Amino acid sequence: MAETYLLWGRRAGARRADLLWPVEIHAVQVPAFGLEINLFQEVLLRLLQMGVKDLDELAKLSALDRQLVAFILAKELQPYRWIDHRFDLTEDGVAALEGRAPAAGTELVMFAFWDLVSARWMPFLSERPPEIFPVDETAQRPRFLVDRDSGRQVSPFVLRQPTGERKAQREALAPALKQFQREHARDDEVAADYSALQFLDDAPQFGRVWIQAFVVDGDLYPWLVTDPFQPDRPDRALRETLAGLVQGDPRLQDWLGQRLSLRIEAPDMHDGGLGATLRLESQVSELIPSSQDPAVELIREYTARVLRLVHRLRSSAVALPEDLSSAVVHSGSCLEALLQWMLLRWPADEAEWPDRWDRRELKGWLAALPLANQLSGDCVRALESQSSKTVLQAASGRNQPMKALLVAALLSTHRHESHPLRRAPINALDWKLIGLRNKGGHATGARLQRDPVLDFAEMSLHWVNLFKNHY
């Protein structure tokens, strides 16, 4: 069966690897999106709406070249059905100008892409997928001309199509499209209704979309993967999927390591090697699963940083002061991100709280929490000094230090019977270790020691893992 190759663009720069990702291409009929207009189109539409229709006058008032105005009118506004032949705005033109979807009943034929590797819909639709053709269609490995000026050709790594049935789940397309709209639509745009979505083909076309793995020096992950539809952006889901493929395919691991100039076998986690990166990915996922929730992804990022620093401190003969400082800062940030996620998942209702309270009142509230095990005296003493202002701000903005976030999260347990803090081992928190965060984050002159820093890091990782079934 003939394959279709699709290329939306490639990143510039060195240390990159081109790959072809297997997909099924499905034709679908969907309600038309409100097309996003650019500045030139918006200016001309508004002038037309005001009754200005003379070409010279439009060019003068818009400060655009006359030929450019004529091109936009004939090649963009009229084909989009935003204006008619008299240059009057249509209903769709008004809708586009206001950022709304076109008139009811307007539909488009577009193409959706079923990822055959991860068995999910890619959250993107394309009206005209950009097809690219091999230089020699009879060659076993396709080569493509990527620079006509230099004649440069590229032969991407062709990922194997997974074995076993990975039938497209048509009922899952609408949620993927809603995700696409959330990511790309403006805040005031009317959400599209996908209830009338229809598949137009019984036999989808097999194809491959072009992606790139690339190196970002200094990033948490030594290599990332491009979003195939927006190559300037990294795609977290594709990176994690590709990392899983690399672990099970020595040929791909060797090829990718050579293209990105990464060492395959790495003695420890901080050397930037490909194998080390894959092991780090695996360890992070053991503690906290991948998620589409940005709050969970923030916890994953800090978890990865803490894990990397733990391995570095354990494997180094001498612990560097900057590593010790980074470890306590990221360990504290990891706990704060965890509590921020809790306040999003189980929000506090600060409107039910008084505007002000004193230390004695807060102490009484902490003693009356609906917890399986009441807070210990040490824990209450560590938290009772939190001011009403910082706790209220922690509940509403989630931008306060850990103790204020924890108090807000604890107070929210009254509203949520399923809150995981009700049964969490809060009394096991070591407040002396948590206090290391201030020593690492500020120029206090205090000297950090390896063993307490590692204990703090392990405590943070343990707390991340405690809520694994709730992410």
PDB file of all heavy atoms in Angstrom, residues 265-288:
ATOM      1  N   GLU A 265      25.695   4.497  26.696  1.00  0.00           N
ATOM      2  CA  GLU A 265      25.910   3.934  28.026  1.00  0.00           C
ATOM      3  C   GLU A 265      26.453   5.029  28.927  1.00  0.00           C
ATOM      4  O   GLU A 265      27.480   5.630  28.641  1.00  0.00           O
ATOM      5  CB  GLU A 265      26.907   2.760  27.960  1.00  0.00           C
ATOM      6  CG  GLU A 265      26.370   1.587  27.163  1.00  0.00           C
ATOM      7  CD  GLU A 265      25.058   1.061  27.722  1.00  0.00           C
ATOM      8  OE1 GLU A 265      24.857   1.124  28.956  1.00  0.00           O
ATOM      9  OE2 GLU A 265      24.232   0.584  26.936  1.00  0.00           O
ATOM     10  N   ALA A 266      25.772   5.283  30.019  1.00  0.00           N
ATOM     11  CA  ALA A 266      26.162   6.365  30.910  1.00  0.00           C
ATOM     12  C   ALA A 266      26.388   5.810  32.307  1.00  0.00           C
ATOM     13  O   ALA A 266      25.564   5.077  32.827  1.00  0.00           O
ATOM     14  CB  ALA A 266      25.078   7.433  30.956  1.00  0.00           C
ATOM     15  N   PRO A 267      27.473   6.169  32.964  1.00  0.00           N
ATOM     16  CA  PRO A 267      27.738   5.644  34.286  1.00  0.00           C
ATOM     17  C   PRO A 267      26.822   6.205  35.357  1.00  0.00           C
ATOM     18  O   PRO A 267      26.656   5.603  36.393  1.00  0.00           O
ATOM     19  CB  PRO A 267      29.193   6.065  34.564  1.00  0.00           C
ATOM     20  CG  PRO A 267      29.403   7.269  33.698  1.00  0.00           C
ATOM     21  CD  PRO A 267      28.582   7.036  32.473  1.00  0.00           C
ATOM     22  N   ASP A 268      26.245   7.378  35.168  1.00  0.00           N
ATOM     23  CA  ASP A 268      25.319   7.920  36.157  1.00  0.00           C
ATOM     24  C   ASP A 268      24.309   8.809  35.468  1.00  0.00           C
ATOM     25  O   ASP A 268      24.341   8.998  34.273  1.00  0.00           O
ATOM     26  CB  ASP A 268      26.075   8.697  37.250  1.00  0.00           C
ATOM     27  CG  ASP A 268      26.933   9.795  36.655  1.00  0.00           C
ATOM     28  OD1 ASP A 268      26.377  10.656  35.965  1.00  0.00           O
ATOM     29  OD2 ASP A 268      28.157   9.775  36.881  1.00  0.00           O
ATOM     30  N   MET A 269      23.421   9.384  36.264  1.00  0.00           N
ATOM     31  CA  MET A 269      22.263  10.065  35.711  1.00  0.00           C
ATOM     32  C   MET A 269      22.545  11.481  35.270  1.00  0.00           C
ATOM     33  O   MET A 269      21.694  12.112  34.673  1.00  0.00           O
ATOM     34  CB  MET A 269      21.133  10.088  36.761  1.00  0.00           C
ATOM     35  CG  MET A 269      20.580   8.726  37.092  1.00  0.00           C
ATOM     36  SD  MET A 269      19.736   7.997  35.701  1.00  0.00           S
ATOM     37  CE  MET A 269      18.316   9.054  35.610  1.00  0.00           C
ATOM     38  N   HIS A 270      23.697  12.045  35.570  1.00  0.00           N
ATOM     39  CA  HIS A 270      23.896  13.451  35.266  1.00  0.00           C
ATOM     40  C   HIS A 270      24.822  13.662  34.081  1.00  0.00           C
ATOM     41  O   HIS A 270      25.216  14.781  33.802  1.00  0.00           O
ATOM     42  CB  HIS A 270      24.449  14.188  36.500  1.00  0.00           C
ATOM     43  CG  HIS A 270      25.860  13.836  36.854  1.00  0.00           C
ATOM     44  ND1 HIS A 270      26.154  12.774  37.675  1.00  0.00           N
ATOM     45  CD2 HIS A 270      27.040  14.402  36.510  1.00  0.00           C
ATOM     46  CE1 HIS A 270      27.474  12.726  37.831  1.00  0.00           C
ATOM     47  NE2 HIS A 270      28.017  13.692  37.129  1.00  0.00           N
ATOM     48  N   ASP A 271      25.152  12.603  33.337  1.00  0.00           N
ATOM     49  CA  ASP A 271      26.133  12.765  32.280  1.00  0.00           C
ATOM     50  C   ASP A 271      25.522  13.157  30.951  1.00  0.00           C
ATOM     51  O   ASP A 271      26.237  13.360  29.977  1.00  0.00           O
ATOM     52  CB  ASP A 271      26.946  11.469  32.104  1.00  0.00           C
ATOM     53  CG  ASP A 271      26.061  10.287  31.720  1.00  0.00           C
ATOM     54  OD1 ASP A 271      24.866  10.506  31.431  1.00  0.00           O
ATOM     55  OD2 ASP A 271      26.575   9.157  31.711  1.00  0.00           O
ATOM     56  N   GLY A 272      24.212  13.271  30.853  1.00  0.00           N
ATOM     57  CA  GLY A 272      23.596  13.692  29.602  1.00  0.00           C
ATOM     58  C   GLY A 272      23.457  12.587  28.592  1.00  0.00           C
ATOM     59  O   GLY A 272      23.092  12.837  27.465  1.00  0.00           O
ATOM     60  N   GLY A 273      23.768  11.330  28.953  1.00  0.00           N
ATOM     61  CA  GLY A 273      23.672  10.242  28.008  1.00  0.00           C
ATOM     62  C   GLY A 273      22.236   9.860  27.711  1.00  0.00           C
ATOM     63  O   GLY A 273      21.329  10.097  28.513  1.00  0.00           O
ATOM     64  N   LEU A 274      22.027   9.241  26.551  1.00  0.00           N
ATOM     65  CA  LEU A 274      20.683   8.836  26.166  1.00  0.00           C
ATOM     66  C   LEU A 274      20.138   7.769  27.103  1.00  0.00           C
ATOM     67  O   LEU A 274      18.987   7.842  27.545  1.00  0.00           O
ATOM     68  CB  LEU A 274      20.713   8.314  24.720  1.00  0.00           C
ATOM     69  CG  LEU A 274      19.393   7.844  24.138  1.00  0.00           C
ATOM     70  CD1 LEU A 274      18.361   8.953  24.182  1.00  0.00           C
ATOM     71  CD2 LEU A 274      19.601   7.348  22.709  1.00  0.00           C
ATOM     72  N   GLY A 275      20.960   6.779  27.444  1.00  0.00           N
ATOM     73  CA  GLY A 275      20.492   5.752  28.361  1.00  0.00           C
ATOM     74  C   GLY A 275      20.120   6.325  29.715  1.00  0.00           C
ATOM     75  O   GLY A 275      19.137   5.910  30.329  1.00  0.00           O
ATOM     76  N   ALA A 276      20.899   7.309  30.194  1.00  0.00           N
ATOM     77  CA  ALA A 276      20.585   7.936  31.478  1.00  0.00           C
ATOM     78  C   ALA A 276      19.257   8.664  31.415  1.00  0.00           C
ATOM     79  O   ALA A 276      18.461   8.623  32.358  1.00  0.00           O
ATOM     80  CB  ALA A 276      21.707   8.909  31.862  1.00  0.00           C
ATOM     81  N   THR A 277      19.006   9.328  30.324  1.00  0.00           N
ATOM     82  CA  THR A 277      17.736  10.047  30.161  1.00  0.00           C
ATOM     83  C   THR A 277      16.564   9.087  30.197  1.00  0.00           C
ATOM     84  O   THR A 277      15.533   9.362  30.824  1.00  0.00           O
ATOM     85  CB  THR A 277      17.730  10.825  28.828  1.00  0.00           C
ATOM     86  OG1 THR A 277      18.834  11.722  28.809  1.00  0.00           O
ATOM     87  CG2 THR A 277      16.437  11.605  28.661  1.00  0.00           C
ATOM     88  N   LEU A 278      16.705   7.962  29.530  1.00  0.00           N
ATOM     89  CA  LEU A 278      15.620   6.988  29.500  1.00  0.00           C
ATOM     90  C   LEU A 278      15.371   6.399  30.882  1.00  0.00           C
ATOM     91  O   LEU A 278      14.223   6.180  31.277  1.00  0.00           O
ATOM     92  CB  LEU A 278      15.950   5.884  28.494  1.00  0.00           C
ATOM     93  CG  LEU A 278      16.092   6.344  27.040  1.00  0.00           C
ATOM     94  CD1 LEU A 278      16.526   5.178  26.169  1.00  0.00           C
ATOM     95  CD2 LEU A 278      14.788   6.928  26.534  1.00  0.00           C
ATOM     96  N   ARG A 279      16.433   6.145  31.626  1.00  0.00           N
ATOM     97  CA  ARG A 279      16.251   5.628  32.976  1.00  0.00           C
ATOM     98  C   ARG A 279      15.578   6.658  33.871  1.00  0.00           C
ATOM     99  O   ARG A 279      14.744   6.320  34.724  1.00  0.00           O
ATOM    100  CB  ARG A 279      17.606   5.197  33.563  1.00  0.00           C
ATOM    101  CG  ARG A 279      18.210   3.967  32.877  1.00  0.00           C
ATOM    102  CD  ARG A 279      19.363   3.399  33.681  1.00  0.00           C
ATOM    103  NE  ARG A 279      20.488   4.315  33.731  1.00  0.00           N
ATOM    104  CZ  ARG A 279      21.453   4.367  32.811  1.00  0.00           C
ATOM    105  NH1 ARG A 279      21.393   3.570  31.762  1.00  0.00           N
ATOM    106  NH2 ARG A 279      22.453   5.214  32.941  1.00  0.00           N
ATOM    107  N   LEU A 280      15.939   7.920  33.693  1.00  0.00           N
ATOM    108  CA  LEU A 280      15.301   8.980  34.459  1.00  0.00           C
ATOM    109  C   LEU A 280      13.805   9.039  34.150  1.00  0.00           C
ATOM    110  O   LEU A 280      12.971   9.142  35.046  1.00  0.00           O
ATOM    111  CB  LEU A 280      15.961  10.328  34.151  1.00  0.00           C
ATOM    112  CG  LEU A 280      15.339  11.553  34.825  1.00  0.00           C
ATOM    113  CD1 LEU A 280      15.463  11.462  36.333  1.00  0.00           C
ATOM    114  CD2 LEU A 280      15.972  12.837  34.300  1.00  0.00           C
ATOM    115  N   GLU A 281      13.448   8.972  32.855  1.00  0.00           N
ATOM    116  CA  GLU A 281      12.036   8.979  32.447  1.00  0.00           C
ATOM    117  C   GLU A 281      11.284   7.840  33.132  1.00  0.00           C
ATOM    118  O   GLU A 281      10.174   8.013  33.638  1.00  0.00           O
ATOM    119  CB  GLU A 281      11.945   8.811  30.925  1.00  0.00           C
ATOM    120  CG  GLU A 281      12.482   9.977  30.133  1.00  0.00           C
ATOM    121  CD  GLU A 281      11.412  10.979  29.799  1.00  0.00           C
ATOM    122  OE1 GLU A 281      10.268  10.801  30.257  1.00  0.00           O
ATOM    123  OE2 GLU A 281      11.724  11.934  29.089  1.00  0.00           O
ATOM    124  N   SER A 282      11.893   6.671  33.146  1.00  0.00           N
ATOM    125  CA  SER A 282      11.242   5.508  33.731  1.00  0.00           C
ATOM    126  C   SER A 282      11.035   5.684  35.232  1.00  0.00           C
ATOM    127  O   SER A 282       9.980   5.355  35.775  1.00  0.00           O
ATOM    128  CB  SER A 282      12.068   4.254  33.448  1.00  0.00           C
ATOM    129  OG  SER A 282      11.499   3.130  34.063  1.00  0.00           O
ATOM    130  N   GLN A 283      12.038   6.215  35.929  1.00  0.00           N
ATOM    131  CA  GLN A 283      11.927   6.399  37.367  1.00  0.00           C
ATOM    132  C   GLN A 283      10.881   7.450  37.720  1.00  0.00           C
ATOM    133  O   GLN A 283      10.152   7.294  38.702  1.00  0.00           O
ATOM    134  CB  GLN A 283      13.281   6.796  37.948  1.00  0.00           C
ATOM    135  CG  GLN A 283      14.283   5.643  37.977  1.00  0.00           C
ATOM    136  CD  GLN A 283      15.554   6.033  38.698  1.00  0.00           C
ATOM    137  OE1 GLN A 283      16.047   7.137  38.533  1.00  0.00           O
ATOM    138  NE2 GLN A 283      16.087   5.126  39.495  1.00  0.00           N
ATOM    139  N   VAL A 284      10.806   8.514  36.947  1.00  0.00           N
ATOM    140  CA  VAL A 284       9.788   9.534  37.199  1.00  0.00           C
ATOM    141  C   VAL A 284       8.395   8.926  37.065  1.00  0.00           C
ATOM    142  O   VAL A 284       7.512   9.152  37.900  1.00  0.00           O
ATOM    143  CB  VAL A 284       9.956  10.726  36.239  1.00  0.00           C
ATOM    144  CG1 VAL A 284       8.771  11.674  36.348  1.00  0.00           C
ATOM    145  CG2 VAL A 284      11.244  11.472  36.534  1.00  0.00           C
ATOM    146  N   SER A 285       8.181   8.131  36.003  1.00  0.00           N
ATOM    147  CA  SER A 285       6.863   7.546  35.758  1.00  0.00           C
ATOM    148  C   SER A 285       6.481   6.528  36.825  1.00  0.00           C
ATOM    149  O   SER A 285       5.298   6.283  37.055  1.00  0.00           O
ATOM    150  CB  SER A 285       6.826   6.905  34.372  1.00  0.00           C
ATOM    151  OG  SER A 285       6.974   7.897  33.365  1.00  0.00           O
ATOM    152  N   GLU A 286       7.472   5.911  37.465  1.00  0.00           N
ATOM    153  CA  GLU A 286       7.166   4.993  38.563  1.00  0.00           C
ATOM    154  C   GLU A 286       6.588   5.734  39.762  1.00  0.00           C
ATOM    155  O   GLU A 286       5.764   5.201  40.502  1.00  0.00           O
ATOM    156  CB  GLU A 286       8.429   4.235  38.983  1.00  0.00           C
ATOM    157  CG  GLU A 286       8.870   3.168  37.985  1.00  0.00           C
ATOM    158  CD  GLU A 286      10.143   2.479  38.433  1.00  0.00           C
ATOM    159  OE1 GLU A 286      10.611   2.790  39.557  1.00  0.00           O
ATOM    160  OE2 GLU A 286      10.679   1.658  37.678  1.00  0.00           O
ATOM    161  N   LEU A 287       7.022   6.980  39.963  1.00  0.00           N
ATOM    162  CA  LEU A 287       6.554   7.771  41.095  1.00  0.00           C
ATOM    163  C   LEU A 287       5.264   8.509  40.791  1.00  0.00           C
ATOM    164  O   LEU A 287       4.385   8.622  41.647  1.00  0.00           O
ATOM    165  CB  LEU A 287       7.631   8.782  41.513  1.00  0.00           C
ATOM    166  CG  LEU A 287       8.925   8.198  42.083  1.00  0.00           C
ATOM    167  CD1 LEU A 287       9.947   9.307  42.283  1.00  0.00           C
ATOM    168  CD2 LEU A 287       8.647   7.497  43.408  1.00  0.00           C
ATOM    169  N   ILE A 288       5.154   9.036  39.574  1.00  0.00           N
ATOM    170  CA  ILE A 288       4.001   9.852  39.213  1.00  0.00           C
ATOM    171  C   ILE A 288       3.730   9.668  37.721  1.00  0.00           C
ATOM    172  O   ILE A 288       4.624   9.899  36.900  1.00  0.00           O
ATOM    173  CB  ILE A 288       4.231  11.340  39.563  1.00  0.00           C
ATOM    174  CG1 ILE A 288       3.076  12.209  39.072  1.00  0.00           C
ATOM    175  CG2 ILE A 288       5.551  11.843  39.046  1.00  0.00           C
ATOM    176  CD1 ILE A 288       3.144  13.634  39.596  1.00  0.00           C
TER     177      ILE A 288
END
